[in-house]
Amino acid sequence: CAYCVHQELYFKQACLAWEMPFPYQPIRLGFHWIYVLSMGWYLHCFYAHVFLDPRKKDYYEMLIHHVATFALLFFTYSKGYVKIGILALYCMDVCDIFLHFLKLFRLVDNVRHIPNWLKNIRFPFLSISWVVF
């Protein structure tokens, strides 16, 4: 996603995402596949969350997250708001890097103890990514 988006003018000037022909903007093949793969990923996450994963205390929050993200991607694609959807997807993907890194730390901590200072320095990166993106 980042490789394709960085080449677009509307990445650096967001007001260009609203230029004509709006809202039915033509979609490049690379962005088409980003949409298809992302919608497939969130559909898989929804299925795995409902049928495969054990229920955790944040079950409903994550379920709403998967449904809302899939709906965002589906409607921006089907209604022609492709540039806006790609920018939103880019923002979510950057934050997901830090989120999955934190999950990895938690899984490692279950097997091998990680010092508290190392656990504490990981959260500001996620918070900064949410603020910036």
Side-chain angles (χ1 to χ4, degrees):
C1 182
Y3 176 75
C4 291
V5 172
H6 282 286
Q7 297 176 351
E8 297 296 322
L9 290 175
Y10 61 86
F11 178 72
K12 294 177 178 53
Q13 296 176 342
C15 63
L16 295 178
W18 304 98
E19 70 183 349
M20 297 307 260
F22 185 80
Y24 298 104
Q25 301 160 337
I27 183 169
R28 289 188 14 211
L29 186 61
F31 290 145
H32 168 77
W33 285 110
I34 288 172
Y35 263 99
V36 168
L37 293 173
S38 296
M39 284 192 285
W41 170 253
Y42 282 103
L43 196 60
H44 157 74
C45 288
F46 173 78
Y47 175 81
H49 188 73
V50 171
F51 297 111
L52 303 176
D53 293 342
R55 289 201 176 193
K56 298 177 184 171
K57 61 183 177 182
D58 65 345
Y59 176 80
Y60 291 106
E61 291 86 351
M62 290 304 297
L63 187 66
I64 291 169
H65 163 73
H66 295 312
V67 170
T69 306
F70 181 82
L72 171 77
L73 291 171
F74 178 77
F75 287 116
T76 57
Y77 184 79
S78 64
K79 297 298 180 185
Y81 294 89
V82 175
K83 293 178 182 179
I84 303 301
I86 288 293
L87 291 176
L89 189 60
Y90 176 80
C91 292
M92 290 187 301
D93 284 349
V94 171
C95 295
D96 279 351
I97 292 170
F98 296 102
L99 180 64
H100 290 297
F101 182 69
L102 293 177
K103 286 182 179 182
L104 180 67
F105 254 77
R106 186 170 179 198
L107 291 173
V108 169
D109 190 42
N110 290 339
V111 177
R112 186 179 180 125
H113 179 69
I114 296 175
N116 284 337
W117 67 269
L118 193 56
K119 292 179 194 175
N120 293 336
I121 65 170
R122 62 190 180 167
F123 288 105
F125 294 107
L126 181 63
S127 301
I128 290 169
S129 74
W130 282 341
V131 170
V132 172
F133 294 101

